[in-house]
Amino acid sequence: MTEVTYPKLSDTPTSHLPFSPVIRAGDFVFVSGQASVDASGQIVSDTFEGEFRRSVENLRKVLAAAGCTLADVIQTRNYVRDASDVVEYNKLYREYFTEPYPTRTTITNCLPPTLRYEIEAVAVVKS
């Protein structure tokens, strides 16, 4: 039977919404959408670059709680509020993810005015 755990570190971002930030099922790690929020889950508005970097750093923290790094990510789903930010998004994405890249889906024009970017991920714990 596959063990399912809900890892958390003291600096893992939390939310008042009803979801788990990360679930580890065996060697697979599933991360809920990470946005530009502080440790208490409050949205931190910024430029697209600032929100992108904060979101990916939150992803990094949540992955660490499950024993993973960005290098262990095999799939991402990305939400970009404004299609005009896609060029910058691709540039920044390459700073955090390298070849061979994770599989990726990107959806634009989909976030509320309070967020510019959000990322969710699936990773595999390397034995």
Side-chain angles (χ1 to χ4, degrees):
M1 176 169 262
T2 301
E3 181 181 6
V4 176
T5 59
Y6 303 83
K8 184 165 178 7
L9 295 174
S10 60
D11 65 344
T12 303
T14 60
S15 176
H16 63 282
L17 299 172
F19 67 87
S20 296
V22 60
I23 294 175
R24 181 172 171 177
D27 290 337
F28 288 95
V29 175
F30 301 89
V31 180
S32 294
Q34 297 299 304
S36 180
V37 299
D38 63 19
S40 69
Q42 294 300 308
I43 293 172
V44 179
S45 295
D46 203 341
T47 62
F48 180 82
E49 179 178 357
E51 288 197 23
F52 179 93
R53 291 187 188 283
R54 189 170 292 103
S55 299
V56 176
E57 289 305 321
N58 285 341
L59 173 62
R60 189 188 309 265
K61 290 174 185 176
V62 172
L63 287 168
C68 291
T69 69
L70 293 176
D72 300 316
V73 172
I74 60 172
Q75 181 182 44
T76 65
R77 285 184 259 347
N78 301 266
Y79 306 90
V80 178
R81 185 181 73 193
D82 301 317
S84 61
D85 289 323
V86 169
V87 170
E88 185 175 15
Y89 153 69
N90 282 315
K91 178 182 156 275
L92 293 166
Y93 190 91
R94 286 182 178 98
E95 290 182 27
Y96 291 91
F97 299 98
T98 58
E99 291 186 38
Y101 296 109
T103 62
R104 179 179 96 166
T105 299
T106 303
I107 302 169
T108 61
N109 303 319
C110 58
L111 292 171
T114 54
L115 290 177
R116 295 178 184 274
Y117 178 75
E118 186 172 341
I119 183 171
E120 58 184 279
V122 177
V124 174
V125 178
K126 295 181 179 152
S127 301

